[in-house]
Amino acid sequence: MIHEKMVELVARRFQVLGEPCRLRILQALEGGPRTVSEIVGDLDGNQPNISKHLQILFDAGLVGRERSGNSVFYSVADPVVFKLCELVCRSTARHATHLGQYAAGTRRRSGIQTQKSHLRSKVGSLQGVN
Amino acid sequence: MIHEKMVELVARRFQVLGEPCRLRILQALEGGPRTVSEIVGDLDGNQPNISKHLQILFDAGLVGRERSGNSVFYSVADPVVFKLCELVCRSTARHATHLGQYAAGTRRRSGIQTQKSHLRSKVGSLQGVN
DNA sequence: TCACTATATAATTATACATGCATATAGCTA
DNA sequence: TAGCTATATGCATGTATAATTATATAGTGA
């Protein structure tokens, strides 16, 4: 059992990771610290937007930063993010594979199978949905 | 380097995990499959809301479901979610600890330290902002 | 068939958030 | 100081999403 406050903090971290642009930023930082300009160059977003995402990542403690002269270098604060991405990546690939099997196979569309209906039919549905 | 489509899929999964209510649902499922009613009983949300969150978790492939008579049993589809939560939990705890140290120590407010200013002062700031 | 339980869905509202543009601020150099 | 570069912030806007209420649908048993 986890405390309510902790659940919210953990959820917030997942939420911060749940943005394609921010994942790409972390990816760009995988090789080491980079300045904002460099990151903007790697990705195709505009500078203010990248800066705002970097701020969000920083507030979440996922990246660190240090000013060097006129530039600010950002770096991944906790390498665990790469582990997380790897795990989710694998899991996502598995899920996509399953979806592909279903699509290529029975053409069933993710409905709930009644235990009984499961015995008489390959195609279950939940209130005719999906 | 990861494909753009994959980045979006992974981000979507993180986003689905980035909701306190959904984390609590997964927590409730840690002991094994449960019906919607049971989950609603464990948490304090109302039934339609829980059902919608369950649908989102299902679409993301994070839970599976099977109807049994009048009830629908939901279960965790991929135990990797618990690993993810554990990793984020630890990382979050570390981050919170650091914040605590800063707060108790120099009272600095997470500004960027210039390399030079770092040498002459313990308190850095970035445009006077946090 | 009807009544009942369990679950899902629709419609609404309020809020959070990403984006883009304009602008402000910090640091450097002359 | 002024001008330049790099970065951050404010504001406006559109979109996504969570919560709530009411309702619809599936299954069960009489």
Side-chain angles (χ1 to χ4, degrees), chain A residues 35-37 47-48 51-52 55 70-72 74 114 127-128:
Chain A
T35 68
V36 177
S37 305
Q47 179 268 320
S51 263
K52 263 177 281 194
Q55 180 68 44
N70 216 359
S71 302
V72 176
Y74 280 83
T114 299
Q127 302 184 8

Side-chain angles (χ1 to χ4, degrees), chain B residues 62-129:
Chain B
L62 296 177
V63 302
R65 64 184 174 193
E66 187 172 9
R67 184 180 278 275
S68 170
N70 216 359
S71 302
V72 176
F73 281 88
Y74 280 85
S75 56
V76 173
D78 190 340
V80 76
V81 297
F82 297 125
K83 182 71 176 173
L84 292 172
C85 288
E86 185 197 334
L87 288 172
V88 174
C89 225
R90 278 210 291 258
S91 173
T92 303
R94 280 196 296 274
H95 182 225
T97 301
H98 292 162
L99 288 182
Q101 288 179 347
Y102 283 131
T106 63
R107 293 293 170 197
R108 74 194 276 273
R109 300 172 56 110
S110 73
I112 295 181
Q113 293 202 4
T114 300
Q115 283 188 332
K116 285 182 183 173
S117 71
H118 173 63
L119 298 176
R120 40 183 156 82
S121 165
K122 282 287 187 186
V123 180
S125 73
L126 180 68
Q127 300 184 8
V129 95

